[in-house]
């Protein structure tokens, strides 16, 4: 047993990165097994918290730092021993102890590090006890140089084994060995050449390529990071002849080696060099067994365990199976291990007996005891090992047998029992467990305290857990005696114990499966004999994070796009973080990877993007993840290594190695060939084979220079072609086949053309390809006629009879023979035009539009060719209505040997002419004699037009045109009509029969202001023709308006809907008045600036028949119309366009003229101008012209113009008696003023036939609509006096 100490209370901590669930497990266990810590504000003995490793190898270039940290109350003081004696650091200026620490820093600059080598131990003490560290062995790392040596070149026979010794200098720690050449390149190793564990390089057998002069062994010393190099070793591998010549020259001995070359041999074990060996290994360490064999050929090495299997999960093989490595050795790994080396000549084996020993290891290390006065306790120190370790106890660093006696303490082997302990018995106890392979030392203190409870867990702490996971609520408490812990939930008074609660020894409350109902406030109460303390904590149970839509397996073509979706549900109070991983690592830093809130998109996918993509959703409490694999597919790589085997005259075998299929299995291989003789650089498809095959047996043709290539096909497409195979030439031979598609036909009446499909170069089978053309007349000639031609695909035989059958054949021949005898085909010589016309042509009229033609067939001999059929030519000579309607002739073809046919689509009541001709492949024969026939009468076509004119109160006039197609003698017309009310309901139908010679008719006794629908058709003796329809409206009074006639076929009703349209203008507007009788109530005023390309402006009229347009621009001309629209906003009625001009100044004069005070003024001055009026009338009665015309021409005032008598436009005054001043008030019968007739409204002149003007000048009357000749006889019948404006205008 070593007199050394250790401390396991401060275990070395490694920064291992645990998986998420592993981390939860560690936290979970930590809640339950955390050792009780004494608060540092309470008295306690020292505890070692940090110390250096037992074996501390230092770098001589750096300061030595020996760690020793401890805690205690009061804070401990530190001292050191070196090699078992006190180390006085104050006497060595190079040694410094850190403040409040036991850590030593030794400055070795200017000193040799060897001076400070030795065994160091740290002691930490205060008034309550003493703790000690392990024995820390300080040793300097060493990297000694290789001793200089002269290494002679090594000559070795080919095939013999060879060992190159390394033997590096002993270093501390041992160096790492590797072999390189002068260029610092590692020497290649294999099952034949490998490095042993001791660094030597073993060759099972040497080859000529092993010859080199730079075999160099390198040793790398890890602590100093230095590399030492052995002198290069030169090796020369010689054959037997070379060896004898070389050795004879060196040693003057001609028989140094035998002349026999190295032969194959059975394996021999080189390492270990004895038949059996033993190996001892310590528990927990790594077992390495080595087995190197030589032989020719190179033997293979196998390992096995005699008494069982090699341990799975801990066994690996290195150095090409020559080294067996087992990690974490246990006692079960002891036993016999067999190494077997084998080649085809035999095998050899070696047994290694492995024994497992064990340095001490803990079964139960002692733990700190905190006892109240009068309490009992036990320190337990249990360890195991092989051999069994010896347990030794120390108190405050002194063997316990030498320590002060304590009646409350009793030592029993691996335990110390304390009974009725007293204040002042606090101390630190050391337990040492040691055997020949090592030792363990643990410090554990006994601290005697009387302390009421205190809670170490922060108050009001909030614990958050995920539903269905464990919840651990801490209640870390300290007290002496140890406090008793109880838990309560919310306002309940019952102690929480039993399902679902578990109370652990350290006070932690565990809920195995937390549910939402477990959320709430929990109270922890700690109590001992000295007091009581309570604390509140809170538990929040959250919903788990779950991936609802997992990413799915993706198969994507290269350069395509892959998208993985990952939709997650989580507790709304937790903030999630989504992370995407590729193959458990971070995503590549590539802009092609686009991460969105619920997806990952990869653009322009490449092969490097293949792998497993994982969506990880983390919250502060949990995580969920899901993975999917991305497979990138593309066209396969082209096959390689094309090889031709089994060469035959007409076949060969092609083999190849498939290329990479890129994750899409190869479905088939396409074999292509090139014929360099006939079609160089042109590749043809030859055959296909399944994707599972890598060979194809190919049939070949003679006289071809073949090269082959292969293309692989998978689901993406074709690979690039492979490199072509070598060229393979087949020998020429006679043709195997004759030309195809042999035909015989004539192009002239006395020839026979024999044609065929020429053979390809591949089909020719040899040079000198020609065609032997053979023919004879069927059933006439017995002998065949033949001719041989080349480079053509047809031959013309002249002087043949017209259209007779021939037997023809075409045979392929070349320089090596003829193809098999071909079969004859039947062909015909050329045709000539038929000689005769059909006989007995008759036409049978079926009805007014259909006739049937009959004829006798012509004799076959006169056809002089292959009968194709008969053609009937017919044309219309004239209509029997004495109308000359000659039409182009028409042709109907009747195939085959027909003797009759139908002629459809004829015109009734017409004269036709027809003839018949036979035709063959050459053309038509002569026509038969013409046959004339007449078609009977039919029903007539629709009347040419229907107009409805002169609408009155109770009458309408209908005008029509006869049908264009009378199809017979017209017998009359039928007129039907019926009224239509405002709801579009039809009234009773009236029928009127009209004679055939009439083209108009006035319908009387109609209702006024009523819409009528008319149905009109023509008749012959065969019946009634199609009906045409129109609509019209009778007017409301006697004013007769003349709307434009409506063409036949239009849907828009005929008849006036608007009447009496007038306008008056102002400076910035116009007043439009009208009458409307239509059924549609949506009436609008539309207007637009003259010559403008803008859209018409539209204003709705709300049931009125007078509307004022406001906002017009003075001095501007406008086009205005009134329209009626249906419910679909389509215009159904419209007035003609009015052209109005809004005057800038002249309009004021007109407006003033309509005012009462102005009229009175005019009456006042009427007496003053009476004389002038008398003179004016006298001159007019004499037929002269008053000079007002010259004044008007001079002034050219557009606002004041006289009106023409007949069309309502303004012009010169006439001196005739029938011209009255009021006649100028009339408008055209359609109720509008045409643009070409006048640019002014009648309102501008202040006069009208029956009209009146109100005070603002707007028109409130109605035009009489009487004709000029009537008004001339009636004279001036106006109820009002003439306007003084006109009177005044007469004298201007």
């Amino acid at each position: 047993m070593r007199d050394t100490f250790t401390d396991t209370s401060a275990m070395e901590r490694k920064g291992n990165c645990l998986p998420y669930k592993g981390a939860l497990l560690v936290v979970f266990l930590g809640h339950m097994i955390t050792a009780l810590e004494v608060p540092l504000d309470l008295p306690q003995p020292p505890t070692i918290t940090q110390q250096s490793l037992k074996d501390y190898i230092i770098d001589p270039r750096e300061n030595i730092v020996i760690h020793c940290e401890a805690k205690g109350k009061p804070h401990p003081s530190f001292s050191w021993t070196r090699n078992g004696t006190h180390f006085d650091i104050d006497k060595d200026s190079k040694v410094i102890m850190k403040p409040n620490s036991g850590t030593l820093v030794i400055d070795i600059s200017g000193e040799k590090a060897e001076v400070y080598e030795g065994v160091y131990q740290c002691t930490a003490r205060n008034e309550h006890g003493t703790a000690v560290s392990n024995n820390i062995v300080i040793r300097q790392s060493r990297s000694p140089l290789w001793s200089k040596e002269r290494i002679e070149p090594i000559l070795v026979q080919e095939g013999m084994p060879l060992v190159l010794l390394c033997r590096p200098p002993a270093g501390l720690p041992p160096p790492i060995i590797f072999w390189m050449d002068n260029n610092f390149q590692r020497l290649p190793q294999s099952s034949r050449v490998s490095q042993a564990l001791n660094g030597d390089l073993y060759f099972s057998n040497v080859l000529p390529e092993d010859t080199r002069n730079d075999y160099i062994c390198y040793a790398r010393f890890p602590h100093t990071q230095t590399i030492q190099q052995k002198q290069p070793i030169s090796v020369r591998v010689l054959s037997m002849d070379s060896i004898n010549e070389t050795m004879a020259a060196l040693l003057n001995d001609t028989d140094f080696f035998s002349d026999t070359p190295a032969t194959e041999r059975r394996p021999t074990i080189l390492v270990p060099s004895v038949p059996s060996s033993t190996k001892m290994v310590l528990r927990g360490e790594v077992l390495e067994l080595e087995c190197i064999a030589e032989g020719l050929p190179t033997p293979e090495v196998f390992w096995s365990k005699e008494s069982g299997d090699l341990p799975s999960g801990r066994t690996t093989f290195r150095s090409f199976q020559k080294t067996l490595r087992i990690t974490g050795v246990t006692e079960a790994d002891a036993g016999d291990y067999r190494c077997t080396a084998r080649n085809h000549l035999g095998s050899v084996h070696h047994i290694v007996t492995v024994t497992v020993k064990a340095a001490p290891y803990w079964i139960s290390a002692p733990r700190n005891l905190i006892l109240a006065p009068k309490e009992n306790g036990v320190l337990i120190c249990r360890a195991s090992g092989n051999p069994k370790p010896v347990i030794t106890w120390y108190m405050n660093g002194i063997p316990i047998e030498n320590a002060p006696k304590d009646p409350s303490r009793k030592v029993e082997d691996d335990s110390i029992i304390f009974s009725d302990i007293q204040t002042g018995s606090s101390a630190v106890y050391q337990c040492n467990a040691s055997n020949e392979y090592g030792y363990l030392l643990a410090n554990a203190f006994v601290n005697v305290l009387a302390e009421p409870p205190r809670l170490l867990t922060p108050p009001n702490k909030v614990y958050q857990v995920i539903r269905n996971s464990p919840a651990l609520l801490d209640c870390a408490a300290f007290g002496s005696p140890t406090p008793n812990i109880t838990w309560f939930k919310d306002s309940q008074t019952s102690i929480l114990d039993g399902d679902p609660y578990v109370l652990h020894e350290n006070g932690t409350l565990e809920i195995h499966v937390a549910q939402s109902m477990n959320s709430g406030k929990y109270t922890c109460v700690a109590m001992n004999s000295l007091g009581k303390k309570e604390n509140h904590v809170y538990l929040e149970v959250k919903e788990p994070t779950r991936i609802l839509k997992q990413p799915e397996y993706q198969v994507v073509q290269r350069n395509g796009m892959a998208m993985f979706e990952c939709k997650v549900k989580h507790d709304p109070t937790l903030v999630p973080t989504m992370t995407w991983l590729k193959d458990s690592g971070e995503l590549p830093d590539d802009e092609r990877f686009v991460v969105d809130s619920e997806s990952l998109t990869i653009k322009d996918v490449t092969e490097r993007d293949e792998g497993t993509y994982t969506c990880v959703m983390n919250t502060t409490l949990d995580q969920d993840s899901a993975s999917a694999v991305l497979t990138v597919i593309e066209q396969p790589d082209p096959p390689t290594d094309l090889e031709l085997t089994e060469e035959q005259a007409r076949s060969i075998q092609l083999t190849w190695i498939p290329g990479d299929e890129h994750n899409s299995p190869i479905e088939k291989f396409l074999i292509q060939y090139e014929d360099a003789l006939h079609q160089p650089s042109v590749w043809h498809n030859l055959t296909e084979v399944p994707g599972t095959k890598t060979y194809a047996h190919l049939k070949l043709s003679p006289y071809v220079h073949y090269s082959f290539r292969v293309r692989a096909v998978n689901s993406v497409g074709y690979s690039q072609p492979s490199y072509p195979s070598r060229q393979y030439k087949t020998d020429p031979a006679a043709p195997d086949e004759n030309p195809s598609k042999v035909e015989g036909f004539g192009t002239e009446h006395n020839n026979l053309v024999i044609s065929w499909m020429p053979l390809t170069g591949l089909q020719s089978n040899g040079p000198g390809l020609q065609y032997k053309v053979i023919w004879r007349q069927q059933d006439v000639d017995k002998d065949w006629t033949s001719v041989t031609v080349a480079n053509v695909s047809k031959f013309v035989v002249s002087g043949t009879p017209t259209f007779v059958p021939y037997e023809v054949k075409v045979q392929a021949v070349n320089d090596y023979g003829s193809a098999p005898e071909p079969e004859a085909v039947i062909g015909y010589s050329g045709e000539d035009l038929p000689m005769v016309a059909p006989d007995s042509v008759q036409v049978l009229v079926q009805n007014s539009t259909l006739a049937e033609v009959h004829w006798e067939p012509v004799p076959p001999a006169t056809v002089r060719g292959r009968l194709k059929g008969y053609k009937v030519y017919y044309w219309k000579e004239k209509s029997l209505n004495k109308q000359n309607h000659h039409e182009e002739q028409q042709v109907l073809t009747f195939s085959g040997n027909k003797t009759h046919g139908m002629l459809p689509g004829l015109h009734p009541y017409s004269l036709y002419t027809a003839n018949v001709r036979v035709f063959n492949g050459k053309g038509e024969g002569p026509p038969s004699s013409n046959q004339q026939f007449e078609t009977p009468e039919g029903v007539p076509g629709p009347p040419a037009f229907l107009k409805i004119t002169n609408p009155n109160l109770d009458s309408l006039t209908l005008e029509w045109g006869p049908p264009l197609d009378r199809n017979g003698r017209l017998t009359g017309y039928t007129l039907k009509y019926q009224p239509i009310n405002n709801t579009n309901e039809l009234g009773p139908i009236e029928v009127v029969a009209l004679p055939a010679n009439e083209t108009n008719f006035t319908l009387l006794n109609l209702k006024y202001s009523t819409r009528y629908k008319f149905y009109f058709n023509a008749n012959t003796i065969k019946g009634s023709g199609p009906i045409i329809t129109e609509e019209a409206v009778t007017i409301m009074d006697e004013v007769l308006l003349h709307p434009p006639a409506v063409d036949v076929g239009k849907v828009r009703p005929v008849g006036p809907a608007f009447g009496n349209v007038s306008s008056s203008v102002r400076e910035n507007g116009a007043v439009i008045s009208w009458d409307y009788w239509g059924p549609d109530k949506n009436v609008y005023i539309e207007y637009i600036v003259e010559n403008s390309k803008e859209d018409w402006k539209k204003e709705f009229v709300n049931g009125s028949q007078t509307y004022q347009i406001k906002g017009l621009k003075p001095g501007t001309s406008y086009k205005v119309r009134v329209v009626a629209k249906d419910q679909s906003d389509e215009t159904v009625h419209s007035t003609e366009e009015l052209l109005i001009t809004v005057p800038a100044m002249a309009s004021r004069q007109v407006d003033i003229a309509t005012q009462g005070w102005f009229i009175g003024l005019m009456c006042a001055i009427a007496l003053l101008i009476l004389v002038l009026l008398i003179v004016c009338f006298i001159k007019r009665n004499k037929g002269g012209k008053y000079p007002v015309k010259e004044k008007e021409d001079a002034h050219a005032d557009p606002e004041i113009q006289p009106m023409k008598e007949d069309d309502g436009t303004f012009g010169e005054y006439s001196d005739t008696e029938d011209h009255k001043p009021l006649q100028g008030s009339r408008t055209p019968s359609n109720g509008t003023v045409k643009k070409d007739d006048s640019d002014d409204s009648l309102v501008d002149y202040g006069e009208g036939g029956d009209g009146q003007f109100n005070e603002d000048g707007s028109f409130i009357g109605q035009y009489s609509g009487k004709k000029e000749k009537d008004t001339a006889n009636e004279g001036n019948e106006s109820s009002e006096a003439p306007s003084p404006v006109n009177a005044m205008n007469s004298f201007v």
Side-chain angles (χ1 to χ4, degrees), residues 392-395 398-405 409 411 416 429:
T392 306
W393 285 99
Y394 297 82
M395 186 183 107
I398 302 171
I400 198 165
E401 59 269 13
N402 298 332
K405 301 299 181 181
R409 180 182 67 223
V411 179
I416 300 179
Y429 291 85

Side-chain angles (χ1 to χ4, degrees), residues 1170-1183:
L1170 181 59
V1171 176
L1172 294 176
L1173 284 174
I1174 295 172
V1175 174
C1176 176
F1177 285 129
I1178 293 172
K1179 283 185 171 290
R1180 291 178 63 187
N1181 289 333
K1182 291 181 178 181

Side-chain angles (χ1 to χ4, degrees), residues 185-205:
Q185 300 296 316
R186 284 187 178 269
L187 295 176
Q189 297 189 22
S190 63
S191 59
R192 185 179 65 86
V193 182
S194 61
Q195 178 180 312
L197 292 176
N198 66 355
D200 295 344
L201 192 64
Y202 282 80
F203 295 76
S204 294
N205 51 78

Side-chain angles (χ1 to χ4, degrees), residues 150 155 368 409 437 562 665 744 781 873 908 1012 1097 1169 1209 1285:
R150 178 180 176 82
L155 302 177
N368 294 336
R409 180 182 67 223
Y437 300 111
D781 297 337
Y873 286 77
Y1012 285 89
K1097 296 181 180 179
I1169 61 175
T1209 60
V1285 175

